């Protein structure tokens, strides 16, 4: 949702609290799309801190459904987001000096939260440290089912690690 900052911008020492609901339903990141499982309204405090200057502080908590790197099951991931931004408009040409997520006199809260969120998504996601992953032969989730496949067939990722390990030994 957009938050209109006009009133705070034009009123000396004005301050106001807002509760902004997010429209965000999923997050695209590194070629994946993660659904938003749970979200809270963004609590925002905006304050006039000088002529045409506004300070915006906000926080929220979101839960995304990430995917386990080994077994590909959903992994709920809760993320707390806190931000503080200062926006100011120059007198000369009535333009924002800091334009990110500003449209007209509105702050694009969804855009801002999205940007903060993708910086926090972990690169490595596991449902648990002990996750047994997917059988490389038959594809069952080995946390849930046992199969009779020949487990000596190496997982290609494990094989890559083994290669690196062997190289170290040769040095
Ligand atoms: Zn897993
Ligand atoms: Zn199997």
């Amino acid at each position: 949702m957009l938050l209109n900052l006009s009133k705070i911008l034009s009123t000396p020492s004005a301050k106001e609290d807002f509760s902004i609901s997010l429209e965000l339903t999923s997050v695209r990141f590194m070629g994946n799309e993660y659904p938003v499982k749970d979200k809270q309204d963004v609590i925002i405090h905006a304050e006039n801190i000088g002529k045409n200057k506004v300070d915006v502080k906000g926080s929220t908590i979101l839960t995304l459904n990430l995917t386990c790197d080994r077994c590909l099951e959903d992994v709920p991931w809760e993320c707390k987001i806190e931000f503080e931004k200062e926006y100011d408009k120059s007198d000369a040409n009535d333009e924002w000096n800091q334009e990110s997520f500003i449209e007209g006199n509105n702050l694009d809260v969804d855009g801002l939260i999205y940007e903060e969120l993708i910086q926090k998504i972990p690169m490595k996601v596991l449902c648990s440290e002990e996750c047994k992953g997917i059988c490389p032969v038959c594809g069952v989730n080995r946390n849930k089912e046992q199969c009779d496949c020949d487990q000596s067939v190496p997982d290609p990722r494990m094989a890559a690690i083994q290669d690196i390990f062997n190289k170290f030994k040769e040095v």
Side-chain angles (χ1 to χ4, degrees):
M1 246 176 77
L2 298 176
L3 171 63
N4 191 329
L5 298 172
S6 302
K7 207 180 106 201
I8 292 179
L9 258 181
S10 59
T11 317
S13 56
K15 54 181 92 169
E16 202 170 338
D17 294 308
F18 304 88
S19 179
I20 306 288
S21 63
L22 287 171
E23 284 158 22
L24 213 61
T25 55
S26 70
V27 173
R28 281 183 175 280
F29 180 65
M30 306 272 286
N32 294 308
E33 188 157 1
Y34 302 112
V36 175
K37 193 174 169 241
D38 205 16
K39 57 188 171 186
Q40 294 181 2
D41 287 351
V42 187
I43 305 300
I44 290 182
H45 178 83
E47 200 167 331
N48 182 306
I49 50 162
K51 196 166 188 286
N52 286 327
K53 273 189 185 165
V54 57
D55 180 77
V56 183
K57 278 194 199 81
S59 68
T60 188
I61 295 175
L62 285 114
T63 305
L64 291 186
N65 265 340
L66 300 183
T67 309
C68 175
D69 291 342
R70 286 188 200 149
C71 70
L72 310 179
E73 293 286 313
D74 284 350
V75 180
W77 172 73
E78 192 184 90
C79 180
K80 181 167 193 196
I81 290 173
E82 284 175 317
F83 62 87
E84 180 167 6
K85 308 262 176 203
E86 220 179 279
Y87 295 98
D88 63 301
K89 235 175 176 180
S90 65
D91 296 329
N93 46 15
D94 200 38
E95 269 178 16
W96 292 96
N97 292 327
Q98 215 257 64
E99 287 176 43
S100 52
F101 311 113
I102 289 280
E103 298 168 17
N105 278 347
N106 298 311
L107 176 67
D108 173 8
V109 179
D110 275 272
L112 203 154
I113 293 294
Y114 173 85
E115 185 74 10
E116 297 285 326
L117 195 59
I118 56 169
Q119 290 171 37
K120 293 185 174 219
I121 294 177
M123 295 308 285
K124 187 179 167 71
V125 180
L126 291 177
C127 62
S128 92
E129 283 298 326
E130 287 83 46
C131 174
K132 297 191 189 86
I134 283 174
C135 169
V137 183
C138 71
V140 301
N141 181 341
R142 291 193 290 198
N143 302 309
K144 292 178 175 170
E145 259 180 82
Q146 263 202 321
C147 56
D148 298 322
C149 299
D150 180 1
Q151 297 299 338
S152 66
V153 177
D155 182 311
R157 285 169 301 181
M158 286 309 289
I161 291 165
Q162 197 69 46
D163 287 348
I164 294 166
F165 190 66
N166 288 340
K167 256 185 214 133
F168 271 115
K169 278 202 297 202
E170 281 161 22
V171 175

